[in-house]
Each structure stands twice: as structure tokens, then as C-alpha cells.
Amino acid sequence: TYNKSHLEIIYKHNIERKNFNSAIPYLLNETQQLDKNVNLSYSTFEELENKRQNYLKSKNKNDYMQKHLVEFVVSLSFDKVKEYLENNQDIDKGFIEYAKDLKTKYGLETLNLDIHKDEFFEENGEKKFNYNVHILAYNYNFNKNLAFASNLRKSDYRNLQTLAQNSFQKVGLDFKRGVSKFVTKKEH
């Protein structure tokens, strides 16, 4: 979660591909990229913040929100990306469906959905694609008039991963969420 003051930093990373105005070291050059990145805009921060502020005023409530933004990052394994691409499957449909399902299940309004096809990591001297999405959402459920992230329980984090899996499966992609840390005993 982030304060609204981080909005410009997030946009610079997700759209302009900068980390605090510096080059990102794990970007592929243009000839190596899988495809062009996809940047989809849905709602604006200003319109959603105005909507929430108007609700607070109408109920004569004070504004205590400190974290205005929540960002979801879904990254697919290199093997799964390779399989999808070899079968000419549109991976982006899974990411877009996940943003829709976040709104349906949690009332989250997406600001931007940024699909990165220009990242890599190195394993045993080999460059491997890091195909991922950043879904930036407004941290508020207008149906419940509550901040989203501050009301999450531990089980909700697992449910969010399962929702991603189900979103991909709805559009014909056999993506499976990672193994629970209760099984792997990993910290993160």
C-alpha cells in the first residue's frame, strides 16, 4: 500500500520504466523484448478520491485514510510464459480478468493495469523473461465504504492468490498459484 504522494513514482516505474528517475537494470533491450508493454487506464485517482471525499462530507466524517493506493503484482514463471507463448495463448487476458475479478469480489477500482514484457532475470547465465503485471487500485471499497488493505486478514492474502488462479482459468489459461508458505516453510 502507498500514500497518494507515491502515485508519480509508481507511474514512472510502470509506464516510463524508471526507478526513482534512474534506469531499471533488469530491462531487456528493444530487440530482446517479448512484445511492447501494455498500459491500460481505467479510473483516475482524482475522480475516486473526490467520490470518497464527497461521501465523507455527506456523512460528516473525518478523513483518516493514509494509504490511498494498493498495488498487486502477478508474475508468471518463465516455464509457464514459454508454454503459453508456444501455444499462441494471450496471457494478457488473464491479467485483465484478474482486475475485473478484484472489482467484483472486493469492490476495488483499478487505476492502471501495466503489463511488463520487457523484464528479465538471470539463472545459470541464461536470461529468462519476467512477464508480469502491476495492477494499481484505489485502496477503498465504495460498496462497503471501507479501506480495503487495512481490513485484510492473513487468509485474504491466500484468497487473492487463488482469485488470480481462477481469473486465469476463466479465460482458458491453466495458471496455478504458488505453493503455500505453510507447505514450503519459506518466509516470502
Side-chain angles (χ1 to χ4, degrees):
T1 58
Y2 301 98
N3 183 289
K4 60 185 170 187
S5 64
H6 279 75
L7 193 59
E8 185 177 341
I9 294 166
I10 294 166
Y11 283 152
K12 281 190 184 229
H13 175 81
N14 289 341
I15 298 169
E16 295 177 25
R17 308 304 285 137
K18 299 279 185 187
N19 268 349
F20 299 98
N21 290 324
S22 297
I24 298 175
Y26 49 86
L27 295 183
L28 294 161
N29 69 45
E30 233 176 88
T31 61
Q32 297 173 312
Q33 295 173 13
L34 287 170
D35 201 354
K36 294 222 179 284
N37 290 340
V38 175
N39 306 102
L40 303 175
S41 296
Y42 293 82
S43 300
T44 67
F45 174 80
E46 292 76 15
E47 83 181 79
L48 297 173
E49 179 67 358
N50 286 338
K51 182 178 176 180
R52 187 181 68 83
Q53 290 293 336
N54 288 337
Y55 168 78
L56 292 173
K57 285 178 190 167
S58 75
K59 298 295 181 187
N60 220 10
K61 291 185 173 191
N62 292 325
D63 183 9
Y64 299 105
M65 184 180 271
Q66 293 181 11
K67 303 289 185 176
H68 299 81
L69 306 166
V70 61
E71 187 172 36
F72 300 89
V73 179
V74 178
S75 185
L76 303 178
S77 73
F78 174 73
D79 292 335
K80 190 50 78 176
V81 169
K82 193 173 166 186
E83 175 190 323
Y84 289 150
L85 294 176
E86 286 171 357
N87 293 320
N88 290 322
Q89 292 178 287
D90 184 357
I91 302 169
D92 299 356
K93 291 189 309 187
F95 295 137
I96 293 166
E97 188 64 33
Y98 185 48
K100 289 179 192 173
D101 290 345
L102 285 168
K103 180 170 183 167
T104 301
K105 183 156 177 75
Y106 295 103
L108 284 176
E109 298 283 347
T110 297
L111 300 173
N112 277 62
L113 185 143
D114 300 296
I115 301 170
H116 297 159
K117 303 177 186 185
D118 60 351
E119 296 181 16
F120 75 95
F121 63 96
E122 245 179 82
E123 191 175 272
N124 300 324
E126 181 186 355
K127 283 185 179 179
K128 296 190 172 190
F129 298 113
N130 178 22
Y131 199 118
N132 66 83
V133 69
H134 291 245
I135 299 173
L136 182 64
Y138 190 67
N139 185 25
Y140 195 77
N141 180 334
F142 286 101
N143 299 327
K144 295 181 179 180
N145 292 308
L146 290 172
F148 166 75
S150 57
N151 290 291
L152 287 175
R153 300 176 310 259
K154 282 187 180 183
S155 63
D156 291 322
Y157 291 98
R158 290 188 297 274
N159 294 339
L160 285 163
Q161 290 180 342
T162 301
L163 183 64
Q165 172 183 289
N166 295 342
S167 299
F168 272 74
Q169 290 176 355
K170 278 170 52 177
V171 297
L173 299 167
D174 66 344
F175 171 79
K176 290 185 179 57
R177 60 166 285 188
V179 178
S180 168
K181 71 178 184 177
F182 297 115
V183 173
T184 65
K185 306 293 186 223
K186 288 184 179 178
E187 283 296 312
H188 183 70

